[in-house]
Amino acid sequence: MSQGGRETWEARSTDPKLIGVLQRRGESQPPNLCNVFGSHLADRGSKERAERKREKMLSSPSWPSCNVALLRLVLVIITTLLSVPASAQKIGNGYRLVSIGKSPDGAGLLGYLQVKRTTGTYGPDIPRLKLFVKHETGHRLRVHITDAGQERWEVPYDLLPREQVPKVGSSAAAGPNPFSAGEYQGDELVFTYKTDPFGFAVKRKSDGQTLFDTNARPSDPYGSMVFKDQYLEISTRLPSDAALYGLGENTQPGGIRLRLNDPYTLYTTDISAINLNTDLYGSHPFYMDLRQVKGEASAHGVLLLNSNGMDVAYRGSSLTYKVIGGVLDLYFFAGPSPLGVVDQYTSLVGRPAPMPYWALGFHQCRWGYRNLSVVEGVVEGYKNAQIPLDVIWNDDDHMDAAKDFTLDPINYPRDKLLAFLDRIHSEGMKYIVLIDPGIAVNTTYGVYLRAMAQDVFIKYEGKPYLAQVWPGPVYFPDFLSPSGVSWWVDEVARFHELVPVDGLWIDMNEASNFCTGKCELPTTHLCPDPNSTAPWECCLDCKNITKTRWDEPPYKINASGIQAPLGYKTIATSATHYSGVLEYNAHSLYGFSQAIATHKALQGLQGKRPFILTRSTFVGDTMADLHEHNYAQCCFS
C-alpha cells in the first residue's frame, strides 16, 4: 500500500488556495507563514491533520523550519529570475546542419549538426550532434538526435526492443545526395528541414497537415533546439484548434485533455493521485493530437522516447519539452484516426499483454485484512449477499513483518492458508498478493541472504543503497542486472511453492522510500520502532546528498509539484545500477524493469498468461502487465 494512500493529503505551498487564505484573513501585518500554511491545510482537511503536518515540518531533521524554508524558496525564485537570460524562455542559439546524406545501410537519412554559438545556461552546449531520420513503416517516422562524439543514455534496447540507430562515428553512405531538396518522403509522412538554424517539420501527405514543426520565429515564446548534457529542449508549433491528450501520469482537474499552462512533469513518484497537477506513478511522454481538417476529424501521435525527468510546457499555440538528460528520440504516428494512432503506437512499444480470462471478473482488495479469518469472512460475505467474486487479494497483511515472499506464521499460517486456497480454487476463484521491491536488511531472512550472495542490489558509493519502507531498512534489487532478474525469478518460484498464488501485485516501485539521501542504520534507537503509529516516518539516520550534478542538476524539473530534489523520498539519483547506469537516467524505468522480470518469472512458472498489476509504469509496460490506479484517488466532477 502506498504512503500516499495512508497519508492522503500532501502540503502544497504553490496551491492558489493559500493566496485565498491570506485574502480572507485581511491581515494588515504580514502573517506567520507557518500558521497560514497550517490554516490552508485545515481548509483542505481537519484541523488536527493540519496541525500534525505543521508540527512535522517544524520538527523535521532533514529540512529547516517552515519560515526558513519559505524564505529560501523566495530567494530561489529571485535568484532564478535574475539568472534568466533577457530572451526569457530562449536558452540556446540553435544548431546548423553541416552535412546530410543516406545512412550507412541506405535505409534512412544521416546528418550532422554544429552548434551556432554556445551559452552557459544549464551547462555548455554539446558542440556536434548526429541526426538520424528513418521512415520505419509507412505510418511511422523516427527522428533521433544525439551527441556525435560519444554514446549517451537511452532507454535500453533489451527492455524496449526497437530498431537500432547508426553508431557514433558513422558516416553517410557515398554517392549523390538525394536530400538536397530539403525533404525526405515516406509513404504517408514527409520530413522537411532547414539548415541554419536547423529545424524540421513533419507533414502528412494525405491532407498536407503539419504535425510537428520545430522552426522557431523571433516572436515565438520558444527558441531553436537546445542540446546540453543535462538540458535538452525542443518545441513544436501547434494550430489553435489542436486538442492534445496524454503526457501521463498526473491528475488534472479539468479532465484528460491538456490545458493551457498547466504543469506537466514526468518523473515517477509515490504521491497520491488526489494531488492535482503533479507527477505520479508512471511516465508516458506520448500525446495524441486531435484536430479538424477540412471539416473531418484527424489524429496523429508523438512519442519522445526518453526516461529522464522532464517538464512539458503546453501553451496552446506551442508545446516545449525540457528534458534533463538522454537523447531526443522522437516517433511520429500518422493516424489519421485515433484507432490508427493507437495501432501504430502499440506496433512500436508492444501490444497489451493478453490477460487470463478470470482477470476480467470481479475483484476484491484492501489493506487491513489483519488475519486469514477476515479474508475468509469477506469471501463468505460476498457469497451470502449473492455478489459475484472471482478474485480475492491481500495487501501486505499476509507477510511476516512486511517482508517479501513470507507468511505471517500467526495471522496467516501456511496450513490454513493452503486449505483456504484449495477451497476457493475448487470454486473457480483466484488469489493475488502484493510484493514491494524493497528487501528487508535482516541477516535471518533467506531472501536477503541470497540477494547479498548474488550481489543484486542498487549501489551507492560501492555499497547497497540503504532505504526504508514498510519492513524498515531495505535494499532495492537492480532489475537492469541479469543476476538481479535471475534472483527475482528464483524468489518468485520459491514463494509459489510456499503459496500457489495466481498473480502478483508489484507496488511501491517508483521506487518509494520513506527517507531521503544517504542513510545509515541508527545506533540510538530502533528502526523500525515497534511502537510507532506512523511507520512511514523515516527512522534511519540520513543526510541530504547535494555534492553531485546528478543529485542537483542545473535545471530543476517541477518534481512533486514543488521542484523537490530528484532524490526526495526515492533512490538517490547518484546511485548506480548494473554497468554503472545512473539512477538519474534509469529512475522512471524501475517499475517497468521489475514488471518485465516478474512477467518472466510467472510465465516460466505457470506456462500460462501471467497476471501482474504494477503501480509504476513506463512506455511499453502493457506488454507485461496491468496498471494500478491508486485506491486513494478521488473522483472529480
Side-chain angles (χ1 to χ4, degrees), residues 187-189 203-209 294 334 336:
D187 292 345
E188 178 58 4
L189 295 174
K203 297 181 180 180
R204 187 165 47 214
K205 272 187 179 181
S206 58
D207 55 19
Q209 278 285 298
K294 300 176 182 178

Side-chain angles (χ1 to χ4, degrees), residues 3 56 60-62 466-469 513-520 522 525-529 532 534-543 569:
Q3 180 183 359
K56 175 182 174 183
S60 172
S62 301
L466 184 64
Q468 178 190 334
V469 284
N513 182 2
F514 298 164
C515 301
T516 299
K518 181 181 179 180
C519 301
E520 297 178 350
H525 60 272
L526 293 175
C527 182
D529 181 354
S532 173
W536 53 84
E537 297 286 353
C538 181
C539 58
L540 299 173
D541 289 337
C542 303
K543 295 181 179 179
K569 296 298 182 74

Side-chain angles (χ1 to χ4, degrees), residues 182-420:
E183 69 176 31
Y184 172 40
Q185 295 197 27
D187 292 345
E188 178 58 4
L189 295 174
V190 180
F191 175 84
T192 64
Y193 59 89
K194 294 181 179 179
T195 59
D196 191 4
F198 171 74
F200 70 88
V202 177
K203 297 181 180 180
R204 187 165 47 214
K205 272 187 179 181
S206 58
D207 55 19
Q209 278 285 298
T210 298
L211 311 184
F212 202 87
D213 184 359
T214 71
N215 296 288
R217 302 164 184 160
S219 60
D220 288 332
Y222 55 88
S224 297
M225 180 182 68
V226 180
F227 205 117
K228 301 168 184 281
D229 187 31
Q230 289 184 267
Y231 183 80
L232 285 63
E233 180 181 309
I234 194 166
S235 303
T236 179
R237 181 173 293 103
L238 293 169
S240 59
D241 64 338
L244 272 56
Y245 300 83
L247 301 179
E249 182 177 25
N250 52 62
T251 300
Q252 296 296 330
I256 62 174
R257 179 175 174 176
L258 302 194
R259 302 200 312 173
L260 295 181
N261 302 318
D262 271 4
Y264 293 94
T265 299
L266 282 69
Y267 189 73
T268 59
T269 304
D270 174 12
I271 185 169
S272 171
I274 203 168
N275 293 278
L276 303 181
N277 301 321
T278 302
D279 42 308
L280 300 178
Y281 312 115
S283 175
H284 294 266
F286 168 82
Y287 71 83
M288 186 184 295
D289 180 330
L290 276 64
R291 57 180 79 164
Q292 291 282 335
V293 180
K294 300 176 182 178
E296 297 290 332
S298 71
H300 69 271
V302 179
L303 167 67
L304 172 57
L305 186 57
N306 184 302
S307 62
N308 290 82
M310 68 180 77
D311 289 335
V312 185
Y314 173 56
R315 307 179 189 88
S317 61
S318 64
L319 182 140
T320 299
Y321 297 93
K322 301 178 180 182
V323 193
I324 59 173
V327 302
L328 295 175
D329 194 2
L330 288 155
Y331 290 85
F332 302 95
F333 308 93
S337 69
L339 184 60
V341 172
V342 172
D343 178 60
Q344 295 151 20
Y345 176 65
T346 56
S347 73
L348 170 69
V349 304
R351 307 294 191 188
M355 291 292 105
Y357 187 66
W358 55 262
L360 305 178
F362 295 88
H363 296 243
Q364 169 61 36
C365 173
R366 63 158 292 169
W367 173 74
Y369 292 153
R370 61 185 182 276
N371 56 47
L372 180 58
S373 63
V374 175
V375 179
E376 292 174 319
V378 170
V379 173
E380 192 64 25
Y382 268 82
K383 185 180 298 184
N384 293 338
Q386 297 183 342
I387 300 174
L389 182 61
D390 297 285
V391 190
I392 186 71
W393 297 51
N394 261 125
D395 200 299
D396 62 1
D397 304 291
H398 68 285
M399 298 181 185
D400 179 16
K403 300 193 298 292
D404 279 349
F405 306 118
T406 64
L407 289 177
D408 184 327
I410 305 299
N411 295 313
Y412 284 83
R414 182 171 182 257
D415 57 341
K416 293 184 178 179
L417 179 58
L418 291 178
F420 168 70

